Amino acid sequence: MEATVAKTGTEGKTWGGGNRPLNASYGKLMMWFFIVSDALTFSGFIAAYGFSRFKFIDAWPIADEVFTHVPFLHGVPAPMYYVAFMTLVLIFSSVTMVLAVDAGHRMQKKKVIWYMFFTIIGGAVFVGSQAWEWATFIKGDYGAVETKGGKILQFLDTDGERASVTDFAIAIPTERGTHEEKNGIWYVQEPETQTTVSYQEVLKGFEANPNLLIRSQELVPNMEKLREKAENNPKVAAEITRLEREYINLDKPGEKAIYSREVGLAKLKADGKLVVQGANLKHNEYGHPLFANFFFFITGFHGFHVFSGVVINIIIFFNVIIGTYEKRKSYEMVEKVGLYWHFVDLVWVFVFTFFYLV
Amino acid sequence: MGHEHKLEIFRGLWKFKSNVTKIWGVFFFLCFVTAIEVYLGIVKPEFLIQERFLAMKYLNWIFIILTLVKAYYITWDFMHMRDELMGLRRSVVWTAVFLICYLILILLIEGDYIYEVYKSNYVKFNF
């Protein structure tokens, strides 16, 4: 363990260095310093996510409606299975890492090489899965209409199942001419990604199909408790009147409220602005755009950690192969990298809980 | 540091013969906990969703507690916190736990307050 430390000639004296009050080497302690500060960074992000979620608790997307896809199983709703798989991959790569550390303690070079190799593969599988998850989230599935106030209106059929805007929208033939340079000074590019159907087409389809309903972003309150409160509070009584006028599923507290057909149609007509398909940093068909922002930022930051972890693991992997630590007579470097790798796993455990479960 | 490992988990309830078997034991325990989480997340039992404790559903409390359990075993057995000195253990864990609890408490209370302002005051946002 002292192979990388230069001798100063003052060993053994009180201030001569070499004391280890915490019984851990300098490098390992520094790794712990880094991990604590990085943990605080991540908890800052996750706490900010919680803040925004509590602020817009109604409009927050339902996680197991968002992540329902598994590769190669197109159209089969399977909430959470894929992300559970990703979690297991990461935990498993953590296990091979700690096995590599253990083999390092016993100076078994061959074993360290193999365990490091499996760890790297696990990390790569995880990053790939995350890329796929992002792509699916960006693509979206049912589509929705965004109102002028930034609310999301989602469509349901008579069974309460989600209806896709591309299925019921009625095409309105329009010509999309290109705005060319010769036609104006302000030659601008297309502002945003085009959706496959327009708001007008969705509205027309909704009017033509009487079986469709609209789901709002409001959560159904506990009506019994509200009625108790309403007895001596006219404001609450007015709120109850509004809820009963607008929504048809007030018997299901905690669920997203569904507009009656008439109210829904009126809302769509008066407030609708544009069609949203999938999610990006500005629009999100599943609910509040902040959900997408935090999802991209936090899983992206975590994915970047996994990526750098894989790169560092590859460097150490080759160091093991060429026998660097055999010469040093200590595999402590593997242990330090292992600490980082486990930390990445640890963060994912929390990301998994707060993005997919809670 | 020496390479001695403490070879028992659950306060001695589950003892292992070697460090390698302990690692696999912890791995199966973590898989088991994850499986429970995923199962509850898919099924969402009615009685765990209805009732609340400290403004949070029982189900979400279960998820958070299971997450902390997993975090404990990852830190203690994979990161070898169990084998470190008490001083190192406490300076890492207590610092992080204190600061994180404080941050979460403040931000969540503030977020909920803003939600109430939006909902019940004269800020028109539902259009």
Side-chain angles (χ1 to χ4, degrees):
Chain A
M1 264 165 247
E2 290 169 292
T4 49
V5 181
K7 296 260 192 277
T8 54
T10 53
E11 289 84 16
K13 295 186 174 148
T14 310
W15 297 99
N19 286 330
R20 287 179 180 173
L22 294 174
N23 204 9
S25 71
Y26 172 81
K28 239 168 92 174
L29 269 189
M30 287 305 117
M31 186 50 95
W32 275 113
F33 264 91
F34 168 73
I35 286 173
V36 170
S37 64
D38 215 24
L40 292 176
T41 308
F42 267 108
S43 42
F45 293 154
I46 293 179
Y49 166 86
F51 170 77
S52 299
R53 182 174 176 163
F54 272 50
K55 187 169 156 187
F56 300 110
I57 194 88
D58 284 349
W60 213 251
I62 305 164
D64 51 343
E65 269 185 20
V66 181
F67 306 102
T68 60
H69 300 271
V70 171
F72 313 115
L73 287 179
H74 189 69
V76 182
M80 304 240 301
Y81 288 112
Y82 192 56
V83 75
F85 162 77
M86 284 165 65
T87 308
L88 287 184
V89 166
L90 206 57
I91 291 181
F92 190 75
S93 83
S94 235
V95 168
T96 51
M97 187 78 231
V98 72
L99 287 172
V101 173
D102 184 74
H105 281 326
R106 292 196 242 124
M107 306 295 287
Q108 295 165 326
K109 182 178 164 187
K110 267 238 168 78
K111 274 194 174 175
V112 178
I113 292 174
W114 275 108
Y115 285 136
M116 289 292 290
F117 178 72
F118 290 129
T119 308
I120 291 164
I121 298 295
V125 170
F126 181 86
V127 176
S129 305
Q130 211 164 39
W132 184 86
E133 188 106 324
W134 271 43
T136 322
F137 183 58
I138 291 169
K139 189 162 155 268
D141 24 28
Y142 294 104
V145 164
E146 192 178 305
T147 69
K148 288 169 191 154
K151 295 264 146 187
I152 290 291
L153 303 175
Q154 294 167 327
F155 299 93
L156 304 176
D157 61 19
T158 34
D159 308 325
E161 297 293 321
R162 295 286 304 278
S164 172
V165 287
T166 46
D167 289 345
F168 69 78
I170 295 172
I172 302 170
T174 45
E175 254 183 55
R176 272 168 50 81
T178 318
H179 179 68
E180 285 165 343
E181 208 168 2
K182 64 175 194 238
N183 295 329
I185 313 169
W186 303 111
Y187 176 65
V188 284
Q189 296 278 311
E190 198 99 64
E192 283 180 52
T193 324
Q194 289 297 310
T195 47
T196 46
V197 289
S198 72
Y199 162 66
Q200 296 300 334
E201 291 171 330
V202 170
L203 180 61
K204 202 175 162 196
F206 188 80
E207 281 172 331
N209 190 341
N211 292 328
L212 289 172
L213 290 171
I214 290 181
R215 193 167 74 169
S216 75
Q217 300 254 280
E218 203 171 340
L219 294 179
V220 176
N222 190 331
M223 293 304 283
E224 284 166 29
K225 276 186 193 160
L226 213 56
R227 286 203 180 91
E228 278 168 26
K229 257 196 244 168
E231 278 173 16
N232 40 21
N233 190 338
K235 207 174 157 191
V236 178
E239 170 79 356
I240 290 180
T241 325
R242 178 187 73 84
L243 289 168
E244 281 171 347
R245 192 183 69 242
E246 288 187 348
Y247 298 123
I248 57 169
N249 63 337
L250 291 179
D251 52 328
K252 287 175 185 142
E255 287 191 13
K256 302 240 172 192
I258 300 169
Y259 289 120
S260 69
R261 171 78 191 169
E262 299 76 47
V263 175
L265 185 58
K267 279 260 178 207
L268 184 62
K269 248 186 188 163
D271 299 336
K273 194 172 111 198
L274 55 103
V275 171
V276 186
Q277 286 173 316
N280 54 41
L281 292 177
K282 283 183 190 157
H283 308 284
N284 175 8
E285 70 157 71
Y286 301 101
H288 204 282
L290 272 177
F291 175 82
N293 296 352
F294 276 109
F295 177 78
F296 288 131
F297 190 70
I298 295 180
T299 63
F301 198 62
H302 176 264
F304 181 65
H305 273 73
V306 180
F307 174 73
S308 19
V310 168
V311 171
I312 296 168
N313 274 345
I314 289 174
I315 295 170
I316 302 302
F317 174 69
F318 283 114
N319 272 346
V320 176
I321 288 184
I322 62 177
T324 311
Y325 309 121
E326 206 70 29
K327 275 180 226 144
R328 259 184 218 177
K329 296 189 177 53
S330 156
Y331 278 84
E332 204 198 46
M333 207 63 196
V334 178
E335 199 175 335
K336 283 181 255 183
V337 176
L339 280 179
Y340 177 72
W341 190 251
H342 298 311
F343 170 70
V344 169
D345 182 25
L346 185 69
V347 170
W348 178 254
V349 165
F350 284 92
V351 172
F352 175 62
T353 301
F354 292 116
F355 270 99
Y356 296 93
L357 292 175
V358 169
Chain B
M1 69 171 246
H3 298 157
E4 296 87 41
H5 296 286
K6 294 179 183 148
L7 293 177
E8 47 184 47
I9 60 174
F10 307 137
R11 298 198 165 270
L13 214 62
W14 194 1
K15 293 190 175 91
F16 297 96
K17 289 208 174 64
S18 73
N19 194 36
V20 175
T21 49
K22 186 183 84 164
I23 292 166
W24 286 109
V26 173
F27 170 65
F28 285 119
F29 176 68
L30 291 178
C31 287
F32 177 64
V33 173
T34 308
I36 294 178
E37 283 182 337
V38 171
Y39 173 77
L40 287 176
I42 292 170
V43 176
K44 295 199 173 172
E46 198 69 22
F47 66 100
L48 290 177
I49 295 181
Q50 298 297 336
E51 297 300 319
R52 281 159 190 269
F53 174 69
L54 286 181
M56 201 159 67
K57 292 172 192 157
Y58 283 165
L59 187 65
N60 289 352
W61 278 111
I62 293 177
F63 284 147
I64 288 171
I65 290 166
L66 288 181
T67 304
L68 292 176
V69 168
K70 282 204 286 189
Y72 174 85
Y73 283 100
I74 290 173
T75 321
W76 254 244
D77 289 309
F78 288 177
M79 297 166 103
H80 299 303
M81 218 27 154
R82 206 186 284 281
D83 309 323
E84 302 291 356
L85 286 188
M86 191 176 71
L88 174 58
R89 211 159 55 211
R90 288 189 176 170
S91 42
V92 169
V93 177
W94 287 10
T95 312
V97 167
F98 168 72
L99 289 173
I100 292 169
C101 288
Y102 177 58
L103 183 70
I104 288 175
L105 183 78
I106 282 187
L107 283 189
L108 293 193
I109 290 175
E110 186 68 11
D112 189 50
Y113 170 72
I114 297 176
Y115 167 76
E116 291 297 332
V117 170
Y118 275 163
K119 195 179 168 69
S120 54
N121 286 46
Y122 298 98
V123 183
K124 169 93 173 145
F125 79 112
N126 191 15
F127 55 90

